[in-house]
Amino acid sequence: MTRLRPPGHRVSPVAQRWWTAQALLVLSGPALLTALALGICSLLWFPGALVWLGPLLLVTLVLPAIGYLTVMPRWRYRVHAWELGEFAVYSASGWFWQRRRIAPLSRVQTVDVVRGPLQQSFGLATIVVTTASTAGDVKIAGVSDADAEEIAARIGEAAQAVPGEAA
Amino acid sequence: MSWHSPHPRSLLVDYTWLAAPLASTALTLLATGGRGNPQMWITLGTVAIVFAVLTACGVLRRRRTRYRLTDDAFELESGLFTRRARRVPRTRIRTVDFTASPVHRLLGLVVVRIGTAGEGELRIDALDRDAARALRAAMARPEPADEPLLAEWNPHWIRYAPLTFWAVGGVFVAVGTVYRVLDGFGVEPWRIGFVREAFSAFGASALWLTIPLLLLAIVVLGSLGAIALYVENWWRFRVEWTGSGALGVRRGLFTTRSVAMDRARLRGVQLSEPLPLRAGGGAKVAAVAGSLGTAEETRRRSTLLPPVPLAEALRVVRRVAGRDVFDRQLTPHPPIARRRRFRRAMLFAVLPVVVALVVLGVLFGTGYLISAAAFAVVATPVTAWLARDAHRSLGHAVDDEHLIARSGTFTRRTVALQRSGVVAWTFHSNPFSRRAGLVSLTAAVAAGEQGYRIPDLRAADAEDLADTAAPGIVTEFLVPPREGAYT
């Protein structure tokens, strides 16, 4: 009985802070602000409504926002990993919905290092190994800047060394 | 090949005639509290006689029906009173179709129809699936490889045009468009005299008559629209291998379209069967080809065949793939995949409606509660049936050159991908699927839809499939590692 093992290397622990910031900016922050604004409005003009609005906001906005903020980055950190094998490059990503993708080095077309504005402030980068298929791009998100350059170079060299095949 | 007879279970098909009188008898018994009335006994007596006659005829007919395939002809003897012996030279056999009514399907049988060049068709009612498949395989005649033409326009196939979702959906789209145009001009359709008259007449007269009539009108209009679209898109189409080794498709009435797909960029072929088309025994075919443009352009330009009979679709698939890719038995996916589908459909499609109706019922009265119960009673078996069908669709296989995968219920898609064309594998999972021990596998190819997903495989099967279909990609990450990782 064989089993697909997880990739060998974790991404940088700093990535958890990046994902937390991302969650605050994209989902949790707006949700909490909305809840706050609605709560204040209700307090000022319809104090009677707080009885049912309070729990409703708590359940639909506040708790999911806090849950996402605390759970997602840790969960992601446990999942995200990468490995450069002898013949293929392997990455795992996601948190609730997880994805493990493996592309052979012989199919690698380009190796890019991408840094988003938020990532830059945390000194992180994403490595994108592209293949001829858009459903075959291997992404390694959340490695430290210095590591990214080195990993990208290693993948590039390894891909050079393996005889390429057409798409 | 020696003489064969239809399957013994085919006798049971005729008994469906008895269902209606037996049901009415049962209802009578229920209504009268088990005592029955003279009329009921007459019905029962008639049923018994009909049963005896059906059985006698069935047994006799089965005994008198036999077929065999010789080296140069197919022979079929049939007929209860008038005996017919028909002999068709094998070179004249054009198609071998399978059809199955719901009753046949329940019994695991198919009606085999053998289409010939011009002498009508031969029917065997009915064989079990394996026998039917074996017969078709035995009849398959290798086509001359140098024949460049794969398929061309056949007006008989227009009958498959209405069997698409557009046939009914198109009417609603058209009505919606007319409404919006009128709205744009500031006309309120509800205020036009004739619409109001029609509406009040509709409501006033017997609904049991007007509603079926309205449905009939929608179906007729939709079918006409679908036929018009079919003709516009596919008039005089030709699919052929061109001299330069490309797959060429020419089609269209007012707008003629012409696409050439480079053989070197062909990664496979896909058969798709939307539910109504599948029920009617038809299918569509598309190539899995690269370098055709954006996703939308690729989808539009890679179609090879409009809705056509399944046998014809399979013939073209064979010519494109160079072999009988869809003839092999597919490995089914575990039963838990069916339960997952059922649960998911209940949770996301049935439950919300029931909850909404119950809430309405609590607020506004019991009428809504009754409709909630009725909806649940009707929707649950439908969901169960759809889940069962979705599960039965699931399957995968590997042959010398291709990876074959099938999935989907509203549109069932069977794809054959060249194993050498797989550029990456992706394993998808979530906590629920992991608890069920399932994984979805996506094969990435540089063609067609780019990623082809094989849903809900047993985790070990997914790893095996990935390792067998495109060796060397996942091998080094398996524990324990396999021998001869990449040679």
Side-chain angles (χ1 to χ4, degrees), chain A residues 1-5 75 83 85-88 90 96-104 107 131-136 165 167, chain B residues 267 420 422-432 434 444-446 450-451 460 463 473-474 476-480 482:
Chain A
M1 184 83 167
T2 57
R3 198 174 55 83
L4 186 69
R5 61 173 172 77
W75 199 342
E83 185 172 340
E86 204 176 334
F87 305 106
Y90 178 18
F96 188 87
W97 287 280
Q98 296 176 10
R99 208 170 72 171
R100 290 173 166 187
R101 181 169 287 170
I102 305 166
R107 305 287 195 170
T131 62
S133 167
T134 53
E165 288 170 61
Chain B
R267 291 285 168 271
S420 58
V422 177
V423 302
W425 290 111
T426 311
F427 299 79
H428 307 264
S429 69
N430 63 51
F432 298 116
R434 278 196 295 278
V445 292
Q450 306 284 319
E463 286 144 18
I473 299 182
V474 302
E476 58 182 317
F477 304 113
L478 295 175
V479 279
R482 295 212 170 154

Short mmCIF file of all heavy atoms in Angstrom, two decimals, chain A residues 1-5 75 83 85-88 90 96-104 107 131-136 165 167, chain B residues 267 420 422-432 434 444-446 450-451 460 463 473-474 476-480 482:
data_model
loop_
_atom_site.label_atom_id
_atom_site.label_comp_id
_atom_site.label_asym_id
_atom_site.label_seq_id
_atom_site.Cartn_x
_atom_site.Cartn_y
_atom_site.Cartn_z
N MET A 1 0.86 -1.20 0.00
CA MET A 1 0.00 0.00 0.00
C MET A 1 0.89 1.24 0.00
O MET A 1 1.69 1.45 0.91
CB MET A 1 -0.86 -0.04 1.26
CG MET A 1 -1.85 1.09 1.34
SD MET A 1 -3.32 0.73 0.39
CE MET A 1 -4.37 2.02 1.01
N THR A 2 0.76 2.02 -1.02
CA THR A 2 1.56 3.24 -1.08
C THR A 2 0.71 4.44 -0.67
O THR A 2 -0.51 4.38 -0.68
CB THR A 2 2.07 3.49 -2.50
OG1 THR A 2 0.95 3.54 -3.37
CG2 THR A 2 3.00 2.38 -2.94
N ARG A 3 1.39 5.48 -0.29
CA ARG A 3 0.70 6.67 0.15
C ARG A 3 1.49 7.88 -0.32
O ARG A 3 2.72 7.85 -0.33
CB ARG A 3 0.63 6.67 1.68
CG ARG A 3 -0.40 7.58 2.28
CD ARG A 3 -0.43 7.36 3.78
NE ARG A 3 0.91 7.53 4.35
CZ ARG A 3 1.43 8.71 4.66
NH1 ARG A 3 0.75 9.82 4.47
NH2 ARG A 3 2.63 8.80 5.17
N LEU A 4 0.80 8.92 -0.72
CA LEU A 4 1.47 10.14 -1.13
C LEU A 4 1.82 10.92 0.13
O LEU A 4 0.95 11.32 0.88
CB LEU A 4 0.54 10.96 -2.02
CG LEU A 4 1.13 12.19 -2.66
CD1 LEU A 4 2.16 11.82 -3.70
CD2 LEU A 4 0.03 13.05 -3.28
N ARG A 5 3.12 11.11 0.37
CA ARG A 5 3.50 11.81 1.60
C ARG A 5 3.50 13.30 1.35
O ARG A 5 3.59 13.75 0.21
CB ARG A 5 4.88 11.33 2.05
CG ARG A 5 5.98 11.61 1.05
CD ARG A 5 7.32 11.27 1.64
NE ARG A 5 8.36 11.34 0.63
CZ ARG A 5 8.90 12.47 0.18
NH1 ARG A 5 8.46 13.62 0.65
NH2 ARG A 5 9.84 12.45 -0.73
N TRP A 75 -3.79 26.93 10.24
CA TRP A 75 -4.12 25.75 9.43
C TRP A 75 -3.30 25.76 8.15
O TRP A 75 -2.68 24.77 7.75
CB TRP A 75 -5.61 25.76 9.13
CG TRP A 75 -6.18 24.43 8.72
CD1 TRP A 75 -5.46 23.36 8.27
CD2 TRP A 75 -7.55 24.04 8.72
NE1 TRP A 75 -6.31 22.33 7.98
CE2 TRP A 75 -7.59 22.71 8.25
CE3 TRP A 75 -8.74 24.68 9.05
CZ2 TRP A 75 -8.80 22.02 8.11
CZ3 TRP A 75 -9.93 23.98 8.91
CH2 TRP A 75 -9.96 22.67 8.44
N GLU A 83 8.60 20.72 -2.06
CA GLU A 83 9.76 19.85 -2.17
C GLU A 83 10.21 19.79 -3.62
O GLU A 83 9.38 19.70 -4.53
CB GLU A 83 9.42 18.44 -1.67
CG GLU A 83 10.63 17.53 -1.65
CD GLU A 83 10.34 16.19 -0.97
OE1 GLU A 83 9.36 16.11 -0.20
OE2 GLU A 83 11.08 15.23 -1.25
N GLY A 85 12.06 17.41 -5.93
CA GLY A 85 12.55 16.04 -6.03
C GLY A 85 13.55 15.90 -7.16
O GLY A 85 13.97 16.90 -7.75
N GLU A 86 13.91 14.68 -7.42
CA GLU A 86 14.88 14.43 -8.48
C GLU A 86 14.26 14.70 -9.85
O GLU A 86 14.92 15.16 -10.77
CB GLU A 86 15.33 12.98 -8.38
CG GLU A 86 16.68 12.73 -8.97
CD GLU A 86 17.10 11.29 -8.74
OE1 GLU A 86 16.62 10.67 -7.76
OE2 GLU A 86 17.90 10.80 -9.55
N PHE A 87 12.97 14.37 -9.98
CA PHE A 87 12.32 14.45 -11.29
C PHE A 87 11.13 15.40 -11.32
O PHE A 87 10.60 15.69 -12.37
CB PHE A 87 11.83 13.07 -11.72
CG PHE A 87 12.91 12.04 -11.73
CD1 PHE A 87 12.97 11.07 -10.74
CD2 PHE A 87 13.89 12.06 -12.72
CE1 PHE A 87 13.97 10.13 -10.75
CE2 PHE A 87 14.90 11.12 -12.72
CZ PHE A 87 14.95 10.14 -11.74
N ALA A 88 10.68 15.82 -10.15
CA ALA A 88 9.45 16.62 -10.13
C ALA A 88 9.48 17.64 -9.00
O ALA A 88 10.26 17.51 -8.05
CB ALA A 88 8.25 15.70 -9.95
N TYR A 90 6.99 19.60 -6.17
CA TYR A 90 5.79 19.19 -5.45
C TYR A 90 5.43 20.29 -4.47
O TYR A 90 6.28 20.78 -3.74
CB TYR A 90 6.14 17.88 -4.73
CG TYR A 90 5.07 17.25 -3.85
CD1 TYR A 90 3.74 17.59 -3.96
CD2 TYR A 90 5.42 16.26 -2.93
CE1 TYR A 90 2.78 16.97 -3.17
CE2 TYR A 90 4.47 15.64 -2.14
CZ TYR A 90 3.15 16.01 -2.25
OH TYR A 90 2.22 15.40 -1.47
N PHE A 96 -8.76 24.64 4.36
CA PHE A 96 -9.90 23.72 4.41
C PHE A 96 -9.89 22.85 3.16
O PHE A 96 -9.90 21.63 3.21
CB PHE A 96 -11.20 24.51 4.53
CG PHE A 96 -12.40 23.65 4.77
CD1 PHE A 96 -12.77 23.30 6.05
CD2 PHE A 96 -13.16 23.19 3.71
CE1 PHE A 96 -13.87 22.50 6.28
CE2 PHE A 96 -14.27 22.39 3.92
CZ PHE A 96 -14.62 22.05 5.21
N TRP A 97 -9.87 23.51 2.02
CA TRP A 97 -9.72 22.79 0.76
C TRP A 97 -8.25 22.73 0.42
O TRP A 97 -7.63 23.74 0.13
CB TRP A 97 -10.49 23.52 -0.34
CG TRP A 97 -11.97 23.36 -0.20
CD1 TRP A 97 -12.71 22.28 -0.58
CD2 TRP A 97 -12.89 24.29 0.36
NE1 TRP A 97 -14.04 22.49 -0.28
CE2 TRP A 97 -14.18 23.70 0.29
CE3 TRP A 97 -12.77 25.56 0.92
CZ2 TRP A 97 -15.32 24.34 0.77
CZ3 TRP A 97 -13.90 26.19 1.39
CH2 TRP A 97 -15.16 25.58 1.32
N GLN A 98 -7.70 21.53 0.46
CA GLN A 98 -6.26 21.40 0.27
C GLN A 98 -5.93 20.87 -1.11
O GLN A 98 -6.72 20.15 -1.71
CB GLN A 98 -5.69 20.46 1.33
CG GLN A 98 -5.86 21.04 2.72
CD GLN A 98 -5.39 20.09 3.79
OE1 GLN A 98 -4.76 19.08 3.50
NE2 GLN A 98 -5.69 20.42 5.02
N ARG A 99 -4.74 21.24 -1.56
CA ARG A 99 -4.33 20.89 -2.91
C ARG A 99 -2.89 20.44 -2.89
O ARG A 99 -2.04 21.12 -2.31
CB ARG A 99 -4.46 22.15 -3.76
CG ARG A 99 -4.75 21.90 -5.20
CD ARG A 99 -5.08 23.21 -5.85
NE ARG A 99 -3.89 24.02 -5.98
CZ ARG A 99 -3.85 25.15 -6.66
NH1 ARG A 99 -4.92 25.60 -7.24
NH2 ARG A 99 -2.73 25.82 -6.77
N ARG A 100 -2.62 19.30 -3.48
CA ARG A 100 -1.24 18.87 -3.63
C ARG A 100 -0.97 18.74 -5.11
O ARG A 100 -1.69 18.02 -5.81
CB ARG A 100 -1.03 17.51 -2.97
CG ARG A 100 -1.10 17.56 -1.47
CD ARG A 100 -1.05 16.17 -0.90
NE ARG A 100 -0.79 16.21 0.53
CZ ARG A 100 -0.57 15.13 1.25
NH1 ARG A 100 -0.56 13.93 0.67
NH2 ARG A 100 -0.34 15.21 2.54
N ARG A 101 0.00 19.49 -5.59
CA ARG A 101 0.24 19.46 -7.04
C ARG A 101 1.69 19.07 -7.32
O ARG A 101 2.61 19.54 -6.67
CB ARG A 101 -0.08 20.82 -7.65
CG ARG A 101 0.14 20.84 -9.15
CD ARG A 101 -0.42 22.06 -9.78
NE ARG A 101 -1.88 22.01 -9.83
CZ ARG A 101 -2.64 23.05 -10.17
NH1 ARG A 101 -2.09 24.20 -10.46
NH2 ARG A 101 -3.95 22.93 -10.20
N ILE A 102 1.83 18.20 -8.31
CA ILE A 102 3.15 17.70 -8.68
C ILE A 102 3.33 17.87 -10.18
O ILE A 102 2.50 17.42 -10.97
CB ILE A 102 3.29 16.20 -8.32
CG1 ILE A 102 2.99 16.01 -6.84
CG2 ILE A 102 4.69 15.71 -8.66
CD1 ILE A 102 2.77 14.58 -6.46
N ALA A 103 4.41 18.54 -10.57
CA ALA A 103 4.71 18.69 -12.00
C ALA A 103 6.12 18.18 -12.26
O ALA A 103 7.04 18.51 -11.50
CB ALA A 103 4.58 20.15 -12.41
N PRO A 104 6.30 17.38 -13.29
CA PRO A 104 7.65 16.89 -13.59
C PRO A 104 8.54 18.01 -14.10
O PRO A 104 8.07 18.92 -14.79
CB PRO A 104 7.41 15.83 -14.67
CG PRO A 104 6.09 16.15 -15.25
CD PRO A 104 5.29 16.88 -14.21
N ARG A 107 8.63 19.16 -17.67
CA ARG A 107 7.53 19.95 -18.23
C ARG A 107 7.59 21.42 -17.81
O ARG A 107 6.71 22.19 -18.16
CB ARG A 107 6.19 19.39 -17.75
CG ARG A 107 5.99 17.94 -18.03
CD ARG A 107 5.74 17.71 -19.49
NE ARG A 107 5.19 16.37 -19.71
CZ ARG A 107 4.70 15.96 -20.85
NH1 ARG A 107 4.70 16.77 -21.90
NH2 ARG A 107 4.23 14.74 -20.98
N THR A 131 3.86 25.51 -16.19
CA THR A 131 3.93 24.45 -17.20
C THR A 131 3.07 24.91 -18.38
O THR A 131 2.51 25.99 -18.34
CB THR A 131 3.35 23.14 -16.65
OG1 THR A 131 1.99 23.35 -16.33
CG2 THR A 131 4.09 22.68 -15.42
N ALA A 132 2.96 24.07 -19.39
CA ALA A 132 2.20 24.47 -20.57
C ALA A 132 0.70 24.53 -20.29
O ALA A 132 -0.05 25.11 -21.06
CB ALA A 132 2.48 23.50 -21.71
N SER A 133 0.27 23.90 -19.20
CA SER A 133 -1.16 23.90 -18.88
C SER A 133 -1.43 24.87 -17.75
O SER A 133 -0.71 24.90 -16.76
CB SER A 133 -1.59 22.50 -18.46
OG SER A 133 -2.85 22.54 -17.87
N THR A 134 -2.50 25.66 -17.87
CA THR A 134 -2.81 26.60 -16.79
C THR A 134 -3.27 25.85 -15.54
O THR A 134 -3.25 26.40 -14.47
CB THR A 134 -3.93 27.57 -17.21
OG1 THR A 134 -5.03 26.81 -17.69
CG2 THR A 134 -3.46 28.51 -18.29
N ALA A 135 -3.67 24.59 -15.68
CA ALA A 135 -4.06 23.80 -14.51
C ALA A 135 -2.85 23.05 -13.96
O ALA A 135 -3.01 22.17 -13.13
CB ALA A 135 -5.17 22.82 -14.87
N GLY A 136 -1.66 23.41 -14.41
CA GLY A 136 -0.48 22.68 -13.97
C GLY A 136 0.59 23.56 -13.35
O GLY A 136 1.71 23.11 -13.14
N GLU A 165 10.40 17.92 -22.50
CA GLU A 165 9.45 17.30 -23.43
C GLU A 165 8.52 18.39 -23.90
O GLU A 165 8.27 19.35 -23.19
CB GLU A 165 8.61 16.24 -22.71
CG GLU A 165 9.36 14.98 -22.37
CD GLU A 165 8.53 14.10 -21.46
OE1 GLU A 165 7.45 13.69 -21.89
OE2 GLU A 165 8.95 13.84 -20.34
N ALA A 167 4.94 20.12 -24.75
CA ALA A 167 3.71 20.10 -23.97
C ALA A 167 2.82 18.97 -24.45
O ALA A 167 1.97 18.50 -23.78
CB ALA A 167 2.99 21.43 -24.12
N ARG B 267 -4.71 16.31 -27.70
CA ARG B 267 -4.36 15.60 -26.47
C ARG B 267 -5.42 14.57 -26.08
O ARG B 267 -5.31 13.93 -25.06
CB ARG B 267 -4.19 16.59 -25.33
CG ARG B 267 -2.98 17.46 -25.45
CD ARG B 267 -1.72 16.70 -25.14
NE ARG B 267 -0.54 17.44 -25.52
CZ ARG B 267 0.03 17.39 -26.72
NH1 ARG B 267 -0.48 16.60 -27.65
NH2 ARG B 267 1.07 18.10 -27.01
N SER B 420 0.64 10.59 -22.36
CA SER B 420 1.89 11.35 -22.51
C SER B 420 1.64 12.85 -22.47
O SER B 420 2.57 13.64 -22.40
CB SER B 420 2.54 10.98 -23.84
OG SER B 420 1.63 11.26 -24.89
N VAL B 422 -0.11 14.44 -20.08
CA VAL B 422 -0.35 14.95 -18.73
C VAL B 422 0.89 15.70 -18.25
O VAL B 422 1.98 15.12 -18.19
CB VAL B 422 -0.67 13.79 -17.76
CG1 VAL B 422 -0.84 14.31 -16.35
CG2 VAL B 422 -1.93 13.06 -18.22
N VAL B 423 0.74 16.99 -17.94
CA VAL B 423 1.90 17.77 -17.51
C VAL B 423 1.95 17.97 -16.00
O VAL B 423 2.96 18.46 -15.49
CB VAL B 423 1.98 19.14 -18.22
CG1 VAL B 423 2.04 18.97 -19.72
CG2 VAL B 423 0.82 20.02 -17.84
N ALA B 424 0.91 17.65 -15.28
CA ALA B 424 0.94 17.76 -13.82
C ALA B 424 -0.26 17.04 -13.23
O ALA B 424 -1.27 16.85 -13.91
CB ALA B 424 0.92 19.23 -13.38
N TRP B 425 -0.13 16.64 -11.97
CA TRP B 425 -1.24 16.03 -11.24
C TRP B 425 -1.58 16.88 -10.04
O TRP B 425 -0.68 17.39 -9.38
CB TRP B 425 -0.86 14.64 -10.72
CG TRP B 425 -0.69 13.58 -11.76
CD1 TRP B 425 0.49 13.00 -12.13
CD2 TRP B 425 -1.71 12.96 -12.53
NE1 TRP B 425 0.25 12.05 -13.10
CE2 TRP B 425 -1.09 12.00 -13.36
CE3 TRP B 425 -3.09 13.12 -12.62
CZ2 TRP B 425 -1.79 11.21 -14.26
CZ3 TRP B 425 -3.80 12.33 -13.50
CH2 TRP B 425 -3.14 11.39 -14.31
N THR B 426 -2.88 17.02 -9.75
CA THR B 426 -3.28 17.71 -8.53
C THR B 426 -4.23 16.82 -7.75
O THR B 426 -5.17 16.28 -8.32
CB THR B 426 -3.99 19.04 -8.87
OG1 THR B 426 -3.20 19.74 -9.82
CG2 THR B 426 -4.16 19.88 -7.63
N PHE B 427 -3.96 16.70 -6.45
CA PHE B 427 -4.85 15.96 -5.56
C PHE B 427 -5.60 16.97 -4.70
O PHE B 427 -5.00 17.77 -4.03
CB PHE B 427 -4.05 15.03 -4.64
CG PHE B 427 -3.25 13.99 -5.38
CD1 PHE B 427 -2.05 14.31 -5.97
CD2 PHE B 427 -3.72 12.69 -5.49
CE1 PHE B 427 -1.31 13.36 -6.66
CE2 PHE B 427 -2.99 11.73 -6.17
CZ PHE B 427 -1.78 12.06 -6.76
N HIS B 428 -6.95 16.92 -4.77
CA HIS B 428 -7.75 17.85 -3.97
C HIS B 428 -8.42 17.08 -2.84
O HIS B 428 -8.88 15.96 -3.04
CB HIS B 428 -8.87 18.47 -4.81
CG HIS B 428 -8.41 19.10 -6.08
ND1 HIS B 428 -8.17 20.44 -6.19
CD2 HIS B 428 -8.14 18.58 -7.28
CE1 HIS B 428 -7.78 20.71 -7.42
NE2 HIS B 428 -7.76 19.59 -8.10
N SER B 429 -8.51 17.73 -1.69
CA SER B 429 -9.26 17.10 -0.60
C SER B 429 -9.74 18.16 0.36
O SER B 429 -9.28 19.31 0.32
CB SER B 429 -8.37 16.10 0.14
OG SER B 429 -7.37 16.79 0.84
N ASN B 430 -10.70 17.81 1.21
CA ASN B 430 -11.11 18.67 2.31
C ASN B 430 -11.42 17.75 3.48
O ASN B 430 -11.44 16.53 3.32
CB ASN B 430 -12.30 19.55 1.89
CG ASN B 430 -13.53 18.75 1.54
OD1 ASN B 430 -13.96 17.89 2.31
ND2 ASN B 430 -14.10 19.00 0.38
N PRO B 431 -11.63 18.32 4.68
CA PRO B 431 -11.80 17.44 5.84
C PRO B 431 -12.88 16.38 5.66
O PRO B 431 -12.71 15.24 6.09
CB PRO B 431 -12.17 18.41 6.96
CG PRO B 431 -11.53 19.68 6.56
CD PRO B 431 -11.59 19.74 5.07
N PHE B 432 -13.98 16.73 4.96
CA PHE B 432 -15.07 15.76 4.79
C PHE B 432 -14.63 14.63 3.87
O PHE B 432 -14.87 13.46 4.15
CB PHE B 432 -16.31 16.44 4.22
CG PHE B 432 -16.86 17.49 5.12
CD1 PHE B 432 -16.89 18.81 4.72
CD2 PHE B 432 -17.34 17.16 6.38
CE1 PHE B 432 -17.39 19.79 5.55
CE2 PHE B 432 -17.84 18.13 7.23
CZ PHE B 432 -17.86 19.45 6.81
N ARG B 434 -11.63 13.68 3.24
CA ARG B 434 -10.57 12.88 3.87
C ARG B 434 -11.17 11.88 4.85
O ARG B 434 -10.72 10.74 4.95
CB ARG B 434 -9.56 13.77 4.58
CG ARG B 434 -8.53 14.35 3.62
CD ARG B 434 -7.33 14.90 4.36
NE ARG B 434 -7.69 16.05 5.19
CZ ARG B 434 -7.81 17.28 4.72
NH1 ARG B 434 -7.61 17.53 3.45
NH2 ARG B 434 -8.13 18.27 5.52
N ALA B 444 -3.60 17.71 -15.53
CA ALA B 444 -3.41 18.94 -16.26
C ALA B 444 -2.84 18.61 -17.64
O ALA B 444 -1.89 17.85 -17.75
CB ALA B 444 -2.46 19.86 -15.51
N VAL B 445 -3.48 19.13 -18.68
CA VAL B 445 -2.95 18.97 -20.03
C VAL B 445 -2.93 20.34 -20.69
O VAL B 445 -3.67 21.23 -20.30
CB VAL B 445 -3.82 18.01 -20.89
CG1 VAL B 445 -3.73 16.60 -20.39
CG2 VAL B 445 -5.26 18.46 -20.92
N ALA B 446 -2.07 20.50 -21.67
CA ALA B 446 -1.96 21.79 -22.34
C ALA B 446 -2.95 21.84 -23.50
O ALA B 446 -2.57 22.07 -24.65
CB ALA B 446 -0.53 22.01 -22.82
N GLN B 450 -7.81 22.37 -20.02
CA GLN B 450 -6.55 22.42 -19.25
C GLN B 450 -6.52 21.42 -18.10
O GLN B 450 -5.62 20.61 -18.01
CB GLN B 450 -6.29 23.84 -18.72
CG GLN B 450 -6.31 24.92 -19.79
CD GLN B 450 -5.07 24.93 -20.66
OE1 GLN B 450 -3.97 24.77 -20.17
NE2 GLN B 450 -5.26 25.06 -21.95
N GLY B 451 -7.51 21.51 -17.21
CA GLY B 451 -7.54 20.57 -16.09
C GLY B 451 -8.75 19.64 -16.23
O GLY B 451 -9.85 20.12 -16.43
N ALA B 460 -6.03 5.78 -2.24
CA ALA B 460 -4.98 4.91 -2.76
C ALA B 460 -5.13 4.72 -4.27
O ALA B 460 -4.14 4.67 -5.01
CB ALA B 460 -5.02 3.56 -2.06
N GLU B 463 -3.68 7.71 -6.13
CA GLU B 463 -2.22 7.67 -6.24
C GLU B 463 -1.78 6.63 -7.27
O GLU B 463 -0.89 6.89 -8.09
CB GLU B 463 -1.61 7.39 -4.87
CG GLU B 463 -1.72 8.62 -3.97
CD GLU B 463 -1.99 8.28 -2.52
OE1 GLU B 463 -1.76 7.13 -2.11
OE2 GLU B 463 -2.43 9.19 -1.79
N ILE B 473 5.88 10.83 -12.34
CA ILE B 473 5.61 12.16 -11.79
C ILE B 473 5.48 12.09 -10.28
O ILE B 473 6.17 12.79 -9.54
CB ILE B 473 4.34 12.78 -12.43
CG1 ILE B 473 4.54 12.94 -13.95
CG2 ILE B 473 4.04 14.12 -11.80
CD1 ILE B 473 3.38 13.58 -14.65
N VAL B 474 4.60 11.22 -9.81
CA VAL B 474 4.36 11.18 -8.36
C VAL B 474 5.24 10.15 -7.66
O VAL B 474 5.35 10.17 -6.43
CB VAL B 474 2.88 10.87 -8.03
CG1 VAL B 474 1.97 11.89 -8.65
CG2 VAL B 474 2.49 9.48 -8.47
N GLU B 476 8.30 9.42 -6.83
CA GLU B 476 9.30 9.64 -5.79
C GLU B 476 8.72 10.20 -4.50
O GLU B 476 9.40 10.26 -3.49
CB GLU B 476 10.42 10.54 -6.31
CG GLU B 476 9.90 11.89 -6.79
CD GLU B 476 11.04 12.74 -7.34
OE1 GLU B 476 12.11 12.77 -6.71
OE2 GLU B 476 10.86 13.37 -8.40
N PHE B 477 7.45 10.61 -4.54
CA PHE B 477 6.85 11.15 -3.32
C PHE B 477 5.92 10.15 -2.65
O PHE B 477 5.19 10.49 -1.73
CB PHE B 477 6.09 12.44 -3.64
CG PHE B 477 6.95 13.47 -4.30
CD1 PHE B 477 6.72 13.84 -5.61
CD2 PHE B 477 8.01 14.05 -3.62
CE1 PHE B 477 7.51 14.78 -6.24
CE2 PHE B 477 8.82 14.99 -4.23
CZ PHE B 477 8.58 15.35 -5.55
N LEU B 478 5.93 8.91 -3.14
CA LEU B 478 5.10 7.89 -2.51
C LEU B 478 5.91 7.17 -1.44
O LEU B 478 7.12 6.99 -1.59
CB LEU B 478 4.63 6.87 -3.56
CG LEU B 478 3.68 7.38 -4.64
CD1 LEU B 478 3.40 6.28 -5.65
CD2 LEU B 478 2.38 7.87 -4.04
N VAL B 479 5.27 6.78 -0.35
CA VAL B 479 5.92 5.95 0.66
C VAL B 479 5.16 4.64 0.81
O VAL B 479 3.93 4.67 0.89
CB VAL B 479 5.99 6.66 2.03
CG1 VAL B 479 7.12 7.63 2.09
CG2 VAL B 479 4.68 7.35 2.35
N PRO B 480 5.78 3.49 0.85
CA PRO B 480 7.20 3.34 0.57
C PRO B 480 7.48 3.60 -0.91
O PRO B 480 6.62 3.35 -1.73
CB PRO B 480 7.44 1.86 0.91
CG PRO B 480 6.11 1.22 0.73
CD PRO B 480 5.11 2.23 1.13
N ARG B 482 8.54 3.37 -4.75
CA ARG B 482 8.45 2.23 -5.65
C ARG B 482 9.78 1.98 -6.34
O ARG B 482 10.60 2.86 -6.47
CB ARG B 482 7.41 2.52 -6.72
CG ARG B 482 6.06 2.62 -6.12
CD ARG B 482 5.07 2.13 -7.09
NE ARG B 482 3.79 2.00 -6.41
CZ ARG B 482 2.64 2.07 -7.02
NH1 ARG B 482 2.60 2.25 -8.30
NH2 ARG B 482 1.54 1.94 -6.34
#
